Amino acid sequence: MNAKLLSACIKFLSIIVGFSSNFYLASLLSKNDFGLYSVIVSLLSLCLVFSNMGLSLSIIDLFPKTQTIANLKLLRKKIWFYSLCSSVVVGCIAAFYTVLTGIISPEKSVLLVVLVLIVLFQNIHSSNIAILRSLQSFRVALSIESITFNVVLVLSIYLLFSEDIAELFFSFLLAAFMAFALSSIFSYYKVTKFPLSIIEKEETLPLEINLAKLWPFILLGLVEVVTTNLDVLLVRELYGNEETANYFLAKKMLIVFTFFWFVYNFIYTPKLSKLFVNSEKINHNAVVSILRLKWPVLMASTCCMVVANIFFEDIILLFNLNDYLDAKPYILLFSLFAFIHILTGPVVSFLNVTGLSSYSFRVVSFGAFVFLSTFYPLQSYFGVVGILIALNLSLLAWKVLGVYIIRKVTGFNLIVGSYIGE
């Protein structure tokens, strides 16, 4: 079977697992408990952004350009060192937040240690997946990232959960550890099997990961928190666990809406990075060919969005989730979010692989500014829908700005999929 087709099939299976697991958990847990589960997922997502410090983005850019196995091993050691330090710091801050907001009782101190361990495991796992992607091991990366974690998490919650938050955290710990262990083994194996013929290549300066190089990615992660991860926590603080459950279930539909886009980015971002290794000898036709693959992706994704919106009630009733019928307006706005995201192309990925990562921060910062300046008045008038409107305005703002910068600096038009010239 063609490698790309097999990768798509694996991702399709992961979509089914991820989609079904969220709907299954919504039916298994009370609406309040599912809202609490949603908060934990969002908090861990925030922790991953902060603790990873842009390492995964840096790996996707650097590893395809690395010439020697010694350089790869050195990079991997530095990644583990940075991940360990940042995970402990971020995990402790997250633990303090959970106590402050009443998510975890101060008496359950063991859960604070568990939270730090989850942050550590998911952080290193994220970097391992980026290593596998950058070294063209797409099928393994997809299987571990998208299937293993979800399956272990659902099984753990099913077997352990009995309305105690401690059981939710231990379920996340088991899932994070299993994903971390597998991705560590496979990424180590992939690095050690780096083609021997490349080792004796002409002398080249080794590529490095350091705080100076990570800084643009760190800043990017900080502002991305506002535009992609903060919304669920805001809904919880303003409207409580049950409304968070509605919102989170609708947001999980993005897994379906962006399935084809995820596979596209997963496979072609490392390929774009290789095409820009030598800025003087860029194969413009090859880049354009990759950019134009966006159109069939957009068409397939739009079909998924239309079906989900038309048959939303049937889907909800199929899973016996009658309490979530009022989430339909959120589904519509998340569909718009996904459509804008795909239509405007891989803005951040393109900026990063072309050596324009400093623009990534400016672009996404603009989106963060739009969200922060619009969400409060909009939610005051429209409620939770207002937060989603602000999220869409934010996305549209930074993506359009990114498209303009890429067109001006590189000559590539991401929306159309063409090269106009610098």
Side-chain angles (χ1 to χ4, degrees), residues 358-418:
S358 61
Y359 284 105
S360 298
F361 171 67
R362 301 175 203 177
V363 163
V364 182
S365 292
F366 180 58
F369 170 77
V370 170
F371 178 77
L372 291 174
S373 60
T374 59
F375 95 88
Y376 184 75
L378 285 171
Q379 71 84 24
S380 297
Y381 191 78
F382 295 106
V384 178
V385 169
I387 295 178
L388 258 173
I389 294 172
L391 206 61
N392 277 284
L393 290 175
S394 168
L395 177 72
L396 183 62
W398 74 258
K399 292 278 269 184
V400 169
L401 177 61
V403 167
Y404 171 76
I405 291 173
I406 289 169
R407 165 63 184 85
K408 185 177 180 181
V409 177
T410 70
F412 288 100
N413 187 323
L414 262 62
I415 293 182
V416 176
S418 62

Side-chain angles (χ1 to χ4, degrees), residues 78-366:
K78 286 193 173 183
I79 290 164
W80 276 64
F81 172 75
Y82 282 130
S83 297
L84 176 62
C85 296
S86 62
S87 296
V88 171
V89 173
V90 172
C92 289
I93 295 172
F96 175 75
Y97 170 81
T98 58
V99 173
L100 188 65
T101 57
I103 297 173
I104 296 179
S105 170
E107 290 77 24
K108 297 184 176 180
S109 57
V110 66
L111 294 185
L112 304 180
V113 178
V114 168
L115 178 58
V116 174
L117 288 175
I118 295 172
V119 173
L120 174 63
F121 291 147
Q122 71 171 6
N123 186 14
I124 299 178
H125 166 69
S126 178
S127 293
N128 288 337
I129 293 298
I131 291 173
L132 290 169
R133 285 179 61 195
S134 63
L135 297 180
Q136 307 292 301
S137 190
F138 300 117
R139 294 183 295 278
V140 173
L142 277 168
S143 300
I144 298 174
E145 181 184 38
S146 303
I147 299 176
T148 302
F149 180 85
N150 280 323
V151 170
V152 176
L153 180 62
V154 171
L155 286 175
S156 299
I157 291 177
Y158 175 76
L159 295 173
L160 297 177
F161 186 70
S162 60
E163 300 185 359
D164 188 340
I165 189 173
E167 293 151 359
L168 277 179
F169 275 97
F170 279 111
S171 297
F172 275 100
L173 179 63
L174 286 172
F177 176 75
M178 184 63 70
F180 153 78
L182 289 174
S183 64
S184 295
I185 292 169
F186 282 102
S187 63
Y188 176 79
Y189 175 81
K190 191 67 178 178
V191 169
T192 58
K193 294 298 179 182
F194 195 68
L196 296 176
S197 58
I198 300 179
I199 297 177
E200 302 300 331
K201 210 169 180 179
E202 62 210 50
E203 290 187 8
T204 55
L205 292 175
L207 299 175
E208 295 183 359
I209 289 179
N210 53 49
L211 288 176
K213 289 187 176 180
L214 285 175
W215 188 241
F217 296 115
I218 294 172
L219 293 176
L220 177 61
L222 292 177
V223 292
E224 278 188 335
V225 163
V226 176
T227 56
T228 59
N229 298 104
L230 191 61
D231 53 331
V232 175
L233 296 182
L234 284 174
V235 173
R236 192 250 179 182
E237 290 301 315
L238 294 170
Y239 300 97
N241 284 345
E242 293 202 0
E243 196 59 45
T244 304
N246 281 334
Y247 185 89
F248 186 77
L249 191 73
K251 189 171 185 177
K252 287 293 108 177
M253 291 295 291
L254 283 173
I255 297 174
V256 179
F257 300 159
T258 58
F259 158 61
F260 299 103
W261 184 244
F262 181 92
V263 174
Y264 169 84
N265 270 312
F266 203 92
I267 294 174
Y268 288 106
T269 299
K271 294 182 183 297
L272 280 173
S273 181
K274 281 194 170 185
L275 289 172
F276 285 94
V277 169
N278 187 343
S279 59
E280 302 298 324
K281 297 180 180 179
I282 299 173
N283 186 337
H284 298 103
N285 290 332
V287 175
V288 167
S289 296
I290 291 176
L291 294 179
R292 286 182 177 172
L293 287 172
K294 174 195 74 177
W295 290 110
V297 168
L298 180 61
M299 184 178 297
S301 299
T302 302
C303 290
C304 291
M305 297 172 207
V306 171
V307 170
N309 279 277
I310 292 176
F311 297 102
F312 173 73
E313 293 182 2
D314 298 299
I315 296 170
I316 289 295
L317 294 175
L318 178 65
F319 285 90
N320 196 29
L321 296 172
N322 303 41
D323 291 342
Y324 293 86
L325 286 171
D326 48 356
K328 189 170 183 178
Y330 307 155
I331 296 289
L332 180 61
L333 284 166
F334 275 121
S335 299
L336 178 61
F337 184 92
F339 185 85
I340 294 170
H341 189 51
I342 300 171
L343 177 65
T344 48
V347 171
V348 170
S349 297
F350 200 89
L351 287 170
N352 291 338
V353 301
T354 55
L356 301 173
S357 56
S358 61
Y359 284 105
S360 298
F361 171 67
R362 301 175 203 177
V363 163
V364 182
S365 292
F366 180 58

